[in-house]
Each structure stands twice: as structure tokens, then as C-alpha cells.
Amino acid sequence: MRVVSLVPSLTEAVAATRREMLVGATEWCSHPHDLDVVRIGGTKNPDTQRITELAPDLVIANEEENRAPDLAALRAAGLRVLVTEVRTLEQAFAELRRVLVDGCGLTGPSWLAEAEDAWRRLEPPTRRIAAVVPIWRRPWMVCGRDTFAGDVLARLGVGNVYAGHPERYPRVPIGELNAAGAELVVLPDEPYRFTADDGPEAFPGLPTALVSGRHLTWYGPSLREAPEVIGEALRAARR
């Protein structure tokens, strides 16, 4: 089977299971680092003509990361397109099985069972600390309702202050973020690359947790280490 992936998480998931299936991936598909396939543009601007020329048996995409017109163009070209929706951890596991087993015809990989077990063994939090979770600045944008990152953090004892916002990724002025009543700021290194020198200074007096965006927002092999990696970052911020 020939597979083109338009989603970094899913690219890594397929590569970790049956790498030789992948014939194309986006420029943003950075894992595994040594993946040698045709690059077909970005998640938001894939080269649909180049994808068609690769003659894949399956194109895998995501309703949030990829644009509907691009997916429609691929379908119009006669390609089979599988579109995932991932807003909770349970959805992530279910969609990974749909992609790998139903879509690619593979056996459920051991890494997926290990990831499910890692989260299953996690002790439920006794208390949730209120946090804001910026994903961009200039303008400031944060995680709002129904986000995968918000669900992951909730399982690790972090309550998203903007979880009830009508938008999934609202723009919120920095003054409002600082006045939102948060006890913590969670700063991932993607899609915006927050660092110790770029981000924490905007939230004086609040502890900030610098976290791996791949472990917070990707659904794939990284889910095996995510509870430990993100948990340690959260603990470090509160020491």
C-alpha cells in the first residue's frame, strides 16, 4: 500500500508501524528525523497535483489541520482520503486504530498498546490547577473549548481557564490573560515556539511550564512518553 500523510502526528504513527508504506508527507512532518519521502507542501497548502502523481492508495488527513477544499480536490482526482477528528485522548486512540488498522490494513502496533497503557496507569488528579494555554502570540491565541491539548492537560491535573469559551482557539489580549485567574501558564514549543526567553516574561508573577508541543498536541508514538514528559514539565514549573 502507498500512503501520503498530511498530518505530522499520523506520519510518525505510520512510519513507526510500517515505514515503507509512506510515499509522501508534508514539510512539517519532522518525525522520524530520517524519513525519506516526497515532500508535498504544507498542511494548509499541499500540492494536490503532486500528491495525485504519487498515486497513493490512501491519503490521511485531519479535519483541523487540513483544509476542506484541498481534501475535496484529492477526492475529485479519484483518491481515497481518510479524515480524522481528534479532540480527546480516547478519540486519538480510536482514530489511530482506524488509520492504521482499517485504513492501512495493519495489525494494531505494540507502541499504541503501550501508549494506552501509559495513560491507563496514570493516577487521576486530586486537584486541578487553573491555567491558560497560549499557542500563539502577535496576536495572543489560547486553547479554548474541545481541544486535544486541553484534554491531555486535564488528565494531568491542569484545568484550562478558557475551556468554556465558545471558540476553540480564541484570540485573547494579554491583559485579559493575566487577569483570568490562572495559577499557571502552559507554553508549548509549537505551533509557536515559546522558550524561556520568549513567553514567560508576558506573565509576571505566574509560574510557567515550558512543554514539548509534540507530546502535548501530537497523537502518535509520542503518547507513550507524554504523561511523564509533560508531567515533569508541570512539576518543574511549580517547584
Side-chain angles (χ1 to χ4, degrees):
M1 172 173 278
R2 296 168 61 82
V3 177
V4 169
S5 173
L6 304 183
V7 186
S9 298
L10 299 178
T11 298
E12 185 180 19
V14 175
T17 309
R18 189 73 60 82
R19 182 184 292 218
E20 61 269 24
M21 280 188 167
L22 282 169
V23 296
T26 76
E27 300 290 348
W28 297 105
C29 294
S30 56
H31 287 75
H33 297 295
D34 61 347
L35 183 64
D36 183 18
V37 296
V38 174
R39 300 294 174 164
I40 45 75
T43 57
K44 303 297 185 187
N45 58 345
D47 185 338
T48 56
Q49 180 60 40
R50 186 71 184 97
I51 295 171
T52 302
E53 291 170 354
L54 288 172
D57 300 295
L58 179 67
V59 178
I60 49 179
N62 176 263
E63 51 88 29
E64 181 175 76
E65 295 195 51
N66 307 120
R67 300 186 318 131
D70 295 322
L71 304 183
L74 293 172
R75 289 192 177 101
L79 299 182
R80 178 187 175 204
V81 181
L82 190 160
V83 183
T84 59
E85 178 183 302
V86 177
R87 302 190 181 185
T88 67
L89 190 63
E90 285 88 355
Q91 268 190 312
F93 290 137
E95 290 288 61
L96 284 167
R97 290 193 180 281
R98 186 163 74 96
V99 167
L100 297 172
V101 179
D102 300 339
C104 297
L106 300 171
T107 301
S110 59
W111 65 258
L112 182 53
E114 292 165 6
E116 290 175 308
D117 187 58
W119 286 95
R120 190 181 301 115
R121 289 186 283 104
L122 193 66
E123 291 290 332
T126 57
R127 174 182 178 270
R128 283 202 175 93
I129 181 171
V132 293
V133 189
I135 58 164
W136 202 260
R137 67 183 302 177
R138 307 183 192 94
W140 286 95
M141 298 176 66
V142 299
C143 286
R145 64 171 180 84
D146 299 332
T147 66
F148 176 68
D151 187 58
V152 166
L153 288 170
R155 296 165 190 271
L156 294 167
V158 176
N160 179 11
V161 170
Y162 288 93
H165 197 281
E167 297 179 25
R168 296 188 65 219
Y169 298 102
R171 298 185 180 190
V172 184
I174 189 62
E176 291 184 27
L177 292 180
N178 274 294
E183 306 167 79
L184 175 71
V185 182
V186 178
L187 298 174
D189 61 9
E190 61 175 78
Y192 185 91
R193 188 172 180 78
F194 288 107
T195 67
D197 300 317
D198 186 355
E201 81 290 342
F203 300 92
L206 279 177
T208 55
L210 295 166
V211 304
S212 161
R214 175 169 165 262
H215 289 94
L216 180 63
T217 64
W218 288 35
Y219 36 93
S222 58
L223 286 174
R224 289 176 296 185
E225 301 87 32
E228 180 179 352
V229 171
I230 301 173
E232 177 53 34
L234 295 173
R235 289 188 292 272
R238 302 186 65 191
R239 286 176 188 148

